C-alpha cells in the first residue's frame, strides 16, 4: 500500500503571517537493528528526505535517520507571502516516494 | 540491571547540578567534539541561542517529543540555515538535520525521536553569519514493565 | 458467579499483603453474599480509562487529532471504506454509506451476537464476515494493516460515546466464559487478569502504572509497538507477560474475554484511536 500522509496547512492567512505546517506519514522508519520473527535483521528503511516547496521554492528540508520515530511527524513554520500551493515530497531508503499538496489563500 | 541503576542515579544527581554539568560535559566530551567537528567542519560551537525542549522523563524511548527553537529574527540577512539534532548514545548519533531560511519566519521545529538510552539531546544551529550555536536537554528514558515478547 | 476458588486464591497472594488477607477475605465474603443476593454482577465503582494512568505526553498526543499517530490508521480506513473489493465489486460504503452516520455508536455496543449464525463477533470479526458474505472477498488477517485501519475507522465513529455492552440471554454464556477467563490464574506467573487490573490498578509495576485494563480505546497506537494494534494483540501481550499460552487473535476465548471487558468498561467513552505507552 502506498505511503499514507496527513498534512495540515491553514486554508488562509494574511500576508506576513507565520503559519504552522504539520505533516505526519505512516512509515515504520525501520532502524535496521530490529529482528523479524525469525531473528533476521529487518533492513534499514527510513524516510531519508522530505522537502516542502511553496510556489516552487524550497522552504524546508528534513534529512532524517533512524533516530526519528516511526510514523514521523514534523511541525515547522513558513512566512505567508502570496497565495499558492505547498508541495511536499519525500523518499525512503527503498526508493519509494510520496507526495502531497495543499493550497493557501493569502490576503492583505 | 545494576549498571542501569547506577547510570540512573548518576544522571539524577547530575540533574541537580545541571547547568554546571552541561557546560563541563560539553567541554570534555571527545565523542561530542568529534561529532560537532564533522558537522561544522571545525568551526567553534558556542553554547546558547538554541533551546531544546523535551520532557525530562520520557514515557517511551521509541517516541520522545522534541521541540528545538533558535533565537533568530529569520530575516534575509540574519537567519538560521540549518538545525542538526544529535543523540550521542543512539547507535546512529545524527538524528536529523533540518534546512531553514528566511522563508521560515520562525526558527522552530517539532518532531518525535527515538532515544536508545538516558542521554543529552543536543541541537546545533548554523546561522547565516557562519556562526554555530548549540543547546541541549537531558532526557531520562524509563523501562516498561509489560513488554511484548 | 465468582469462581469458587477465588477466596482460596486470595490466600496465595504474596506475603506483603498477609496482614490484609483477613480483611480481604471478609470483604470478599461480603462481595459473594452481595453477588448471591442479587444474582447479578457485583456493583462496580466508576471505571477509569487507561488514559487517566498515562503520562502528560501520552495524554496530549491522544488529544491532538493531528499528532495522534492512530489517526493515520483511521485515515487509511476511510480510504479503504470507499474502495470496491471482492467479486461483488462492492465497497463498505456501497451498503453502509457514510460511516460517520451508519457506524456511529456501533463499536460501543460490540462484541455482538450475529443474528444469522449466532456467533459472537467483535468489530474485526464483523468486518471479515461482511467481506466474506457480502463483498465476496477473503477475510483479512488479524493485525493486518487493512483490518486495523478499517476497525479503527469504524470504531472511531463511536468516539466519545459510552461503552454500552449489554449482557442478555443470547450472549450470557460468552459473558460467563469471558469472566471465567478474567478470574482464572494462568501461566508460570500463576496470575489472572484480576490480580493486576482489579486488585492492583493504580499501583506501580516497574515504571508503569497498572491500569484497570479496559478496551475502550482500541485499536490504540502504542508507543512500544510503534504502530497501531488491536485489543487482541494487547491481550496476547498480557498472556505473554504472565507466561501463559497465548490464544490466537480472534479466537473464541479472546472474543468472549472482550465481551466481559466491555461489560466492565460500561460507561467509559470510546477513545479510538487511543494512545498508550
Amino acid at each position: 500500500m502506498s505511503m499514507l500522509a496527513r498534512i495540515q496547512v491553514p486554508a488562509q492567512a494574511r500576508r506576513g503571517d507565520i503559519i504552522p505546517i504539520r505533516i505526519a506519514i505512516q512509515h515504520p522508519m525501520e532502524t535496521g537493528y530490529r529482528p523479524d520473527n525469525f531473528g533476521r535483521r529487518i533492513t534499514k528503511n527510513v524516510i531519508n528526505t522530505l522537502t516542502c516547496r511553496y510556489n516552487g521554492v524550497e522552504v524546508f528540508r528534513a534529512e532524517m535517520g533512524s533516530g526519528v520515530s516511526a510514523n514521523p511527524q514534523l511541525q515547522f513554520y513558513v512566512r505567508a507571502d502570496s497565495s499558492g500551493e505547498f508541495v511536499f515530497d519525500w523518499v525512503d531508503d527503498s526508493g519509494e516516494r510520496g507526495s502531497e499538496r495543499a493550497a493557501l489563500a493569502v490576503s492583505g | 540491571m545494576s549498571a542501569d541503576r547506577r547510570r540512573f542515579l548518576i544522571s539524577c544527581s547530575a540533574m541537580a547540578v545541571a547547568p554546571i554539568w552541561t557546560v563541563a560535559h560539553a567541554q570534555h566530551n571527545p565523542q561530542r567534539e568529534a561529532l560537532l567537528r564533522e558537522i561544522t567542519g571545525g568551526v567553534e560551537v558556542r553554547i546558547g541561542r538554541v533551546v531544546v525542549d523535551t520532557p525530562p522523563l520520557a514515557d517511551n524511548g521509541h517516541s520522545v517529543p522534541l521541540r528545538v527553537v533558535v533565537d533568530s529574527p529569520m530575516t534575509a540577512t540574519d537567519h538560521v540555515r540549518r538545525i542538526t539534532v544529535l543523540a550521542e548514545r543512539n547507535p546512529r548519533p545524527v538524528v536529523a538535520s533540518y534546512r531553514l531560511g528566511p522563508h521560515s519566519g520562525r526558527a522552530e521545529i517539532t518532531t518525535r525521536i527515538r532515544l536508545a538510552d538516558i542521554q543529552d539531546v543536543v541541537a546545533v544551529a548554523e546561522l547565516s553569519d557562519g556562526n554555530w550555536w548549540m543547546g541541549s536537554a537531558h532526557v531520562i528514558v524509563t523501562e516498561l514493565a509489560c513488554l511484548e515478547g | 458467579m465468582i469462581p469458587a476458588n477465588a477466596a482460596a486464591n486470595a490466600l496465595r497472594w504474596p506475603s506483603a499483603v498477609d496482614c490484609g488477607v483477613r480483611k480481604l477475605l471478609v470483604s470478599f465474603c461480603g462481595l459473594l453474599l452481595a453477588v448471591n443476593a442479587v444474582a447479578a454482577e457485583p456493583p462496580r465503582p466508576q471505571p477509569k480509562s487507561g488514559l487517566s494512568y498515562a503520562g502528560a505526553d501520552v495524554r496530549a498526543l491522544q488529544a491532538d487529532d493531528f499528532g495522534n499517530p492512530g489517526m493515520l490508521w483511521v485515515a487509511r480506513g476511510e480510504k479503504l471504506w470507499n474502495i470496491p473489493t471482492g467479486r461483488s465489486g462492492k465497497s463498505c460504503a456501497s451498503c453502509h454509506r457514510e460511516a460517520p452516520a451508519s457506524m456511529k455508536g456501533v463499536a460501543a455496543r460490540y462484541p455482538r451476537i450475529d443474528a444469522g449464525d449466532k456467533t459472537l463477533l467483535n468489530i474485526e470479526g464483523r468486518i471479515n464476515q461482511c467481506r466474506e458474505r457480502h463483498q465476496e472477498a477473503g477475510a483479512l488477517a488479524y493485525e493486518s494493516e487493512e483490518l486495523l485501519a478499517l476497525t479503527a475507522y469504524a470504531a472511531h465513529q463511536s468516539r466519545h460515546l459510552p461503552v454500552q455492552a449489554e449482557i442478555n440471554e443470547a450472549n450470557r454464556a460468552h459473558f460467563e466464559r469471558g469472566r471465567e477467563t478474567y478470574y482464572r490464574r494462568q501461566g508460570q506467573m500463576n496470575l489472572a487478569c484480576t490480580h493486576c487490573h482489579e486488585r492492583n490498578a493504580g499501583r506501580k509495576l516497574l515504571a508503569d502504572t497498572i491500569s484497570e485494563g479496559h478496551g475502550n480505546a482500541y485499536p490504540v497506537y502504542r508507543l512500544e509497538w510503534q504502530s497501531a494494534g488491536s485489543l487482541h494483540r494487547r491481550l496476547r501481550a498480557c498472556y505473554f507477560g504472565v507466561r501463559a499460552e497465548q490464544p490466537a487473535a480472534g479466537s473464541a476465548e479472546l472474543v468472549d474475554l472482550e465481551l466481559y471487558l466491555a461489560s466492565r468498561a460500561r460507561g467509559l467513552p470510546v477513545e479510538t484511536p487511543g494512545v498508550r505507552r
Side-chain angles (χ1 to χ4, degrees):
Chain A
M1 250 193 285
S2 69
M3 281 189 265
L4 185 130
R6 301 174 72 217
I7 50 174
Q8 196 177 66
V9 176
Q12 52 229 336
R14 292 176 64 83
R15 190 181 310 281
D17 279 357
I18 295 162
I19 57 170
I21 310 277
R22 298 181 85 182
I23 179 160
I25 308 172
Q26 194 179 32
H27 194 285
M29 298 294 276
E30 283 297 347
T31 59
Y33 298 111
R34 212 163 62 117
D36 65 13
N37 289 335
F38 298 94
R40 298 173 299 223
R41 272 192 184 185
I42 302 172
T43 312
K44 172 176 172 281
N45 183 21
V46 302
I47 295 172
N48 54 55
T49 310
L50 177 145
T51 59
C52 172
R53 280 174 298 147
Y54 178 24
N55 288 335
V57 177
E58 184 178 300
V59 289
F60 180 82
R61 170 182 289 256
E63 284 146 11
M64 298 183 280
S66 59
V68 172
S69 299
N71 305 300
Q73 47 181 280
L74 256 171
Q75 176 172 323
F76 55 92
Y77 292 84
V78 172
R79 195 191 306 272
D81 54 22
S82 57
S83 295
E85 194 180 39
F86 285 92
V87 179
F88 304 83
D89 288 293
W90 61 93
V91 61
D92 73 10
D93 294 338
S94 77
E96 194 180 343
R97 289 173 184 281
S99 189
E100 282 286 343
R101 45 194 64 215
L104 172 73
V106 174
S107 62
Chain B
M1 267 337 243
S2 68
D4 278 351
R5 185 168 171 76
R6 198 173 314 125
R7 207 159 56 221
F8 175 76
L9 291 172
I10 289 168
S11 39
C12 284
S13 49
M15 286 221 312
V17 288
I20 306 160
W21 182 78
T22 308
V23 173
H25 195 65
Q27 286 168 348
H28 306 289
N29 182 333
Q31 194 203 353
R32 183 176 298 178
E33 283 166 16
L35 256 173
L36 291 178
R37 259 199 310 278
E38 220 174 288
I39 291 162
T40 65
V43 179
E44 187 205 354
V45 181
R46 280 182 275 181
I47 295 171
R49 293 187 71 166
V50 181
V51 174
V52 178
D53 184 12
T54 59
L57 189 68
D59 274 330
N60 189 310
H62 287 316
S63 181
V64 181
L66 168 74
R67 191 171 64 108
V68 180
V69 187
V70 186
D71 176 19
S72 164
M74 296 305 273
T75 59
T77 52
D78 184 2
H79 56 263
V80 175
R81 282 187 194 145
R82 174 157 54 137
I83 299 172
T84 298
V85 176
L86 306 172
E88 292 155 28
R89 284 192 167 174
N90 278 9
R92 296 187 191 98
V94 180
V95 174
S97 205
Y98 308 98
R99 307 270 177 170
L100 286 74
H103 277 106
S104 305
R106 187 191 297 186
E108 177 177 332
I109 61 103
T110 306
T111 188
R112 299 184 74 90
I113 64 169
R114 292 181 170 125
L115 294 179
D117 202 349
I118 295 170
Q119 58 184 305
D120 281 350
V121 175
V122 173
V124 285
E126 181 191 22
L127 272 55
S128 51
D129 63 6
N131 284 320
W132 287 81
W133 293 85
M134 68 169 262
S136 69
H138 191 68
V139 184
I140 294 172
V141 180
T142 57
E143 298 288 330
L144 281 89
C146 294
L147 281 168
E148 193 175 292
Chain C
M1 297 291 156
I2 284 171
N5 62 349
N9 284 345
L11 282 170
R12 295 208 301 269
W13 192 240
S15 58
V17 290
D18 268 356
C19 54
V21 164
R22 192 178 300 240
K23 211 188 283 178
L24 192 68
L25 267 178
V26 171
S27 52
F28 234 94
C29 293
L31 195 62
L32 282 172
L33 285 175
V35 167
N36 291 335
V38 296
E41 301 157 72
R44 295 179 188 285
Q46 189 60 31
K48 253 173 98 173
S49 167
L51 190 64
S52 52
Y53 299 100
D57 171 48
V58 165
R59 287 202 306 271
L61 195 57
Q62 178 171 317
D64 173 1
D65 270 355
F66 190 86
N68 179 344
M71 292 301 281
L72 289 164
W73 275 260
V74 171
R76 190 180 289 283
E78 184 178 4
K79 284 193 172 175
L80 293 172
W81 184 265
N82 295 297
I83 298 175
T85 308
R87 284 201 305 276
S88 71
K90 287 185 197 167
S91 70
C92 304
S94 305
C95 297
H96 298 288
R97 305 293 162 198
E98 298 292 317
S102 64
M103 290 297 120
K104 189 177 178 180
V106 171
R109 296 190 294 270
Y110 266 69
R112 299 268 282 184
I113 294 284
D114 176 57
D117 62 15
K118 309 294 177 202
T119 54
L120 183 68
L121 294 176
N122 59 3
I123 294 288
E124 287 90 340
R126 172 66 76 193
I127 290 168
N128 271 336
Q129 193 201 56
C130 259
R131 285 178 63 90
E132 291 183 315
R133 274 194 198 161
H134 306 298
Q135 291 181 305
E136 296 173 65
L140 294 166
Y142 227 93
E143 229 54 42
S144 62
E145 287 292 303
E146 293 92 334
L147 188 56
L148 271 175
L150 282 167
T151 307
Y153 181 60
H156 180 63
Q157 309 310 325
S158 297
R159 193 164 66 151
H160 308 313
L161 298 175
V163 173
Q164 47 190 179
E166 209 180 283
I167 307 308
N168 49 39
E169 282 322 302
N171 66 16
R172 187 167 304 277
H174 294 279
F175 169 81
E176 295 297 351
R177 280 197 292 274
R179 182 156 67 179
E180 194 276 324
T181 301
Y182 189 86
Y183 286 100
R184 186 179 72 226
R185 283 181 181 269
Q186 39 180 343
Q188 290 173 319
M189 300 278 198
N190 199 30
L191 291 171
C193 311
T194 181
H195 291 123
C196 286
H197 298 291
E198 218 165 20
R199 299 193 202 173
N200 285 292
R203 297 176 71 183
K204 291 285 181 187
L205 190 61
L206 296 186
D208 279 328
T209 306
I210 302 171
S211 77
E212 290 180 9
H214 296 298
N216 59 310
Y218 282 80
V220 301
Y221 188 87
R222 215 172 150 71
L223 303 185
E224 182 211 336
W225 293 339
Q226 308 186 62
S227 167
S230 69
L231 177 63
H232 288 199
R233 178 173 178 186
R234 186 65 190 85
L235 293 176
R236 279 168 51 81
C238 276
Y239 278 75
F240 179 86
V242 301
R243 306 289 182 268
E245 201 174 312
Q246 294 167 299
S251 62
E253 175 168 333
L254 292 185
V255 179
D256 290 350
L257 181 57
E258 186 174 345
L259 177 66
Y260 179 69
L261 295 182
S263 82
R264 283 182 81 231
R266 232 178 346 235
L268 279 181
V270 173
E271 295 172 17
T272 311
V275 178
R276 297 293 184 268
R277 280 182 83 188

